[in-house]
Amino acid sequence: MVKEYYDPEVKYMLWDDFQIRHIDDLKLKVKGYSDDECKEFDTTEDILQFYPNFKDFIEQFFAEEELVNSSTRLNYLSNYADTKTYSVVATEQLTGRLHVNENLFKPSPKVMEVLHNATYEDVYLYDLTREDELAVEISKREEISTDHILIHSGSSDVIKTVMSLVLNKGDTVLISAPSWNYYKSIVELKMAKAEYYDVVPGKNSYEFDVSGLMSKARAVSPRIIIITTPHNPTGAVISASDLETIIKENPSSLVIVDEAYLGFSEQKFDVRHLLAAYSNVVFSRTFSKLYGLAGIRVGYGLCAPMAKQVFRLDVNPFRVNNISRKMAVAALRDEKYYKGLLKDITESRNFFINEMNSISGVKAFDSAANFVFIHFSENTDVQALKDYLAQNGYLVRLWTEGSRLAMRVTLDRKETMEKVVALMKEFLEK
């Protein structure tokens, strides 16, 4: 007789996570299916492309929901009935997390010293000092006034604040394809429209189609243009001259430069020049990636002083928490540690790319970030490969490009990437 029980954590758990947790108890047999037999649907739009009549079910479902909830529905939120929430996939796994672009090399030990030395005042007092210590530290490094620096709780919040205040209903936002879906979720929240320009595969790396971007901008007159560099998910970078051309020739558009992966390569823009020469650009940065501080939620924006005053309208009147900002300052000051970390990441990245490219039917693209984007031959079951890696403790992310499934793999230390390469080869050689 099977004993039934209820575990509240299971409600939010993916089947892969549940199977990994009970891998010794749940013995599974693997059966492969071709792409014609098995499809993966990540969004409602994916289902509709495969089965257009699914819209009838959706309409019926929401009609029934509206009937059931008509007496209690919140009319003041009716404008957002069709708005989708951006969310990340929950996982209980603490190792093998090669799917969310965390810095798996860990932050500077000096960051942890801040925690150990925290005082009661750090906890119970608001920081009401005239200057924000973190903004001052950034100011020294960028050689710009703190009037240009907007401290926020992560770069995602910088982007959301800027887009929320700039966008109006019906405006157009120009986003790269492929791209981080978070941008589109904000566009939908503001009842605006998303248009796309391409980031395309070149010989060894992905490249920004700048001429295509400029052509699309002329056609749709976007309120906002988003440039993610290094680019997620491909690791591509845009040149300084191309970026300045986009800013200069689109004076009616706000150009948001998302630099979340800044520091994983030698590429860096002359931010001081761009902010002095143009008022229609905002840079968004984070301490989550290079500095490995994703858990404490700190980021910042760089923009014109007048723009900062407006963006502050959407920011909490009290600063990002005291301890988080002190940890960010400690990270900025430990340049020696992060120089060594960058050396280790570069070594791991070069090793992984070279090893993957030694496998027949595999193309790993050069990257300026802490992840690598990979194409496989048409006869490769990429979904099955992802599942095989998960069964062995490593989570990766798949991206759909037209009819192709590509894979993005976050970098860990070389010894971990050696294990991932071995598993990849083992699967692909079957």
Side-chain angles (χ1 to χ4, degrees), residues 56-92:
D56 297 333
F57 168 78
I58 296 173
E59 291 171 358
Q60 180 183 350
F61 174 81
F62 282 108
E64 291 174 356
E65 282 286 297
E66 185 170 350
L67 182 64
V68 170
N69 298 318
S70 59
S71 62
T72 58
R73 73 171 177 264
L74 305 176
N75 291 322
Y76 57 87
L77 297 178
S78 59
N79 288 342
Y80 302 97
D82 298 323
T83 304
K84 301 176 183 66
T85 301
Y86 177 83
S87 60
V88 294
V89 177
T91 178
E92 308 300 318

Side-chain angles (χ1 to χ4, degrees), residues 194-408:
E195 293 283 350
Y196 297 90
Y197 64 90
D198 293 325
V199 179
V200 297
K203 182 179 179 181
N204 294 313
S205 63
Y206 267 69
E207 300 168 354
F208 284 79
D209 179 5
V210 177
S211 62
L213 185 159
M214 297 293 285
S215 177
K216 181 60 74 92
R218 287 190 293 270
V220 302
S221 301
R223 179 79 166 173
I224 293 176
I225 300 172
I226 299 177
I227 308 290
T228 310
T229 181
H231 183 253
N232 179 20
T234 68
V237 293
I238 194 168
S239 70
S241 59
D242 283 340
L243 177 61
E244 184 162 8
T245 296
I246 292 167
I247 297 168
K248 181 179 181 180
E249 298 196 13
N250 292 279
S252 298
S253 301
L254 173 65
V255 179
I256 298 177
V257 186
D258 183 352
E259 293 188 290
Y261 299 96
L262 179 70
F264 289 113
S265 73
E266 295 181 355
Q267 187 224 30
K268 191 173 182 181
F269 302 115
D270 187 348
V271 172
R272 187 170 64 167
H273 159 67
L274 292 172
L275 290 176
Y278 308 99
S279 59
N280 64 320
V281 60
V282 174
F283 294 85
S284 174
R285 296 178 178 177
T286 183
F287 285 89
S288 297
K289 306 302 182 182
L290 175 66
Y291 294 104
L293 302 179
I296 70 169
R297 310 307 306 135
V298 181
Y300 63 98
L302 301 173
C303 57
M306 187 177 296
K308 175 188 171 180
Q309 294 306 312
V310 175
F311 297 150
R312 285 181 62 187
L313 297 173
D314 192 55
V315 177
N316 191 303
F318 300 103
R319 291 171 179 154
V320 173
N321 81 74
N322 299 344
I323 297 174
S324 290
R325 286 184 292 107
K326 288 184 177 182
M327 293 171 76
V329 169
L332 283 173
R333 290 176 178 171
D334 197 354
E335 295 179 4
K336 180 180 179 181
Y337 174 85
Y338 287 101
K339 184 177 181 180
L341 182 147
L342 180 57
K343 181 176 180 293
D344 291 342
I345 288 179
T346 302
E347 178 185 352
S348 181
R349 183 172 61 202
N350 291 343
F351 163 79
F352 184 63
I353 291 173
N354 290 336
E355 286 295 311
M356 292 307 299
N357 283 332
S358 71
I359 305 172
S360 177
V362 176
K363 176 60 180 177
F365 293 90
D366 290 345
S367 172
N370 66 329
F371 52 81
V372 174
F373 200 60
I374 307 171
H375 283 178
F376 298 88
S377 61
E378 290 184 2
N379 61 352
T380 301
D381 188 339
V382 184
Q383 180 63 54
L385 174 56
K386 175 193 174 185
D387 295 341
Y388 183 72
L389 292 171
Q391 291 162 16
N392 286 277
Y394 298 98
L395 306 177
V396 296
R397 174 77 184 272
L398 299 187
W399 292 75
T400 301
E401 289 186 294
S403 60
R404 176 195 294 274
L405 269 182
M407 181 179 289
R408 190 194 67 192

Side-chain angles (χ1 to χ4, degrees), residues 144-150 272 275-276 300-305 308:
I144 58 174
S145 165
T146 55
D147 292 338
H148 290 277
I149 302 168
L150 177 75
R272 187 170 64 167
L275 290 176
Y300 63 98
L302 301 173
C303 57
K308 175 188 171 180

